[in-house]
Amino acid sequence: MAAKLTRELMEFQSDRIEAVLASHRIPVRVHGGTIAPRWVRFHFTAAPSAKVNSIRNLSEEIALALGAPDVRITRDGEVMAVEVPRADMQTVRLLPMLRKLLAGSVVPPVSACAGLTDDGHPLLLRLPSPDVTHVLVAGATGSGKTELMRSLLISLAATNRQSKLQLALIDPKSRGFAPLTALPHLLAAPAADVPSAVALLNRLTAEMDRRDGRGISSPCIVIAVDEVVDLLMTGGKAVETALTRIAQRGREAGLHLLLGAQKPASSVLGPQLKANLPVRLVGRVGSVEDARVATGVSGSGAEKLTGRGDFLAVTGGCTTHFQAAHVPPADMKEFQIAFRDRSALIGNDVDLE
């Protein structure tokens, strides 16, 4: 019965979308849709003469017609889509995702699980890949930015042994990474102030230079910084120089950055650092301009995301909509118990049940 009601609702909403656009002399045909954890996406094609901006400017009118708080209008080639938030939004738990991944196949080395895409596939980020390397996670308060960073780090630790992966955490507010202090992969206790952050970054740049001289790139070291803008503003040139050097030269030595920021403006991050962050994971932001700055592209619609784990992944000019994986307290306890017994929940020889 639920499937029938969902289909009827989608057919009704499809008709409403077509009617609103037709009333503005923009004939379109809705020809399918997908149901994601947080959105229902309606795919449609418009006449060749239709202007994309004219359609996007009708987002509020479409939302009103559908009884939705807001909608996102996106384009992929000739196909456009209206994304409508679900009334029964679903969450995506990291632990069940990892169980399925490890049961089905071996997760590629040093790959972080970000969440579930709209087409139902896990979104994996293989950090050693040249088109990934370093990751920026951006989003306003309530977007789920720090929760996503924690999930990325936990998934890395869960699928890579200490001999292959090490973590260096910088947490100026001592809140974002607090649940991760028991991970056996940590190089040191999380740096919680500027002097300890600078000391840790200097240690890492020295390690990068040592590896460069010897052609070493293992074990991989993931350097995660929560609220990197705050750290740059308080740490000054020493922090900027160290992070920029790692961003420019880290991949060959096996060092990868995971940086979290609310507003990643170039004036604070520095153009060289920002230019070497090829992957952007962006949650809800406050304005169209904030969306452009965070994603690096125009018209992403990041300002219309619903928050609480609703994210866009932007890389190589391509945008993927996904629901970020999260770790509720009960699952976090299960992870902590498992890590206490072994260095990683790795491969098919480990039962996560």
Side-chain angles (χ1 to χ4, degrees), residues 1 15 23 38 61 146 148 153 168-169 178 209 219 232 235 240 254 265 287-288 307 310 313-314 344-345 352:
M1 189 63 159
D15 292 341
S23 70
R38 301 287 291 274
E61 193 166 333
T146 302
L148 173 55
L153 293 167
L169 307 182
D209 292 337
L232 285 163
E240 181 182 354
S287 68
V288 173
D310 190 21
V314 184
L345 309 174
L352 295 182

Side-chain angles (χ1 to χ4, degrees), residues 80-327:
M80 299 190 66
V82 175
E83 295 180 344
V84 184
R86 292 175 56 175
D88 58 340
M89 294 180 179
Q90 305 295 309
T91 59
V92 175
R93 289 168 54 212
L94 178 64
L95 183 54
M97 285 187 67
L98 289 181
R99 284 176 175 152
K100 291 181 181 178
L101 284 169
L102 294 175
S105 62
V106 176
V107 177
V110 197
S111 295
C113 183
L116 202 65
T117 65
D118 281 353
D119 58 6
H121 293 107
L123 178 61
L124 295 177
L125 303 176
R126 188 169 184 269
L127 295 182
S129 299
D131 57 347
V132 180
T133 307
H134 308 300
V135 180
L136 174 67
V137 183
T141 301
S143 64
K145 168 179 59 68
T146 302
E147 177 71 24
L148 173 55
M149 293 182 70
R150 283 198 296 263
S151 293
L152 292 170
L153 293 167
I154 289 172
S155 68
L156 284 166
T159 55
N160 293 273
R161 299 188 187 280
Q162 290 172 261
S163 59
K164 301 297 182 182
L165 171 77
Q166 296 177 341
L167 303 177
L169 307 182
I170 299 177
D171 187 6
K173 294 184 178 179
S174 299
R175 294 197 304 265
F177 298 148
L180 310 182
T181 54
L183 292 180
H185 301 70
L186 264 60
L187 280 172
D193 53 43
V194 171
S196 58
V198 171
L200 180 56
L201 289 172
N202 288 339
R203 175 184 170 187
L204 291 166
T205 54
E207 173 64 11
M208 181 176 68
D209 292 337
R210 184 188 73 84
R211 292 184 176 194
D212 281 345
R214 299 185 181 184
I216 301 172
S217 60
S218 183
C220 285
I221 302 176
V222 177
I223 304 148
V225 184
D226 194 23
E227 304 297 350
V228 67
V229 171
D230 290 349
L231 181 66
L232 285 163
M233 293 178 69
T234 55
K237 197 66 177 179
V239 171
E240 181 182 354
T241 299
L243 289 176
T244 301
R245 287 192 63 209
I246 295 170
Q248 291 174 326
R249 297 173 46 202
R251 188 179 74 85
E252 291 78 7
L255 275 67
H256 306 280
L257 294 173
L258 175 62
L259 306 180
Q262 288 194 25
K263 290 189 176 184
S266 295
S267 58
V268 180
L269 289 181
Q272 290 182 320
L273 174 57
K274 193 171 180 182
N276 283 280
L277 299 170
V279 175
R280 312 283 179 87
L281 306 180
V282 182
R284 185 186 62 195
V285 294
S287 68
V288 173
E289 177 59 21
D290 288 345
R292 186 191 63 78
V293 170
T295 61
V297 298
S298 298
S300 67
E303 74 281 0
K304 293 186 176 181
L305 295 171
T306 59
R308 295 181 297 166
D310 190 21
F311 271 80
L312 301 175
V314 184
T315 178
C318 297
T319 301
T320 301
H321 192 194
F322 73 99
Q323 177 64 27
H326 84 117
V327 184

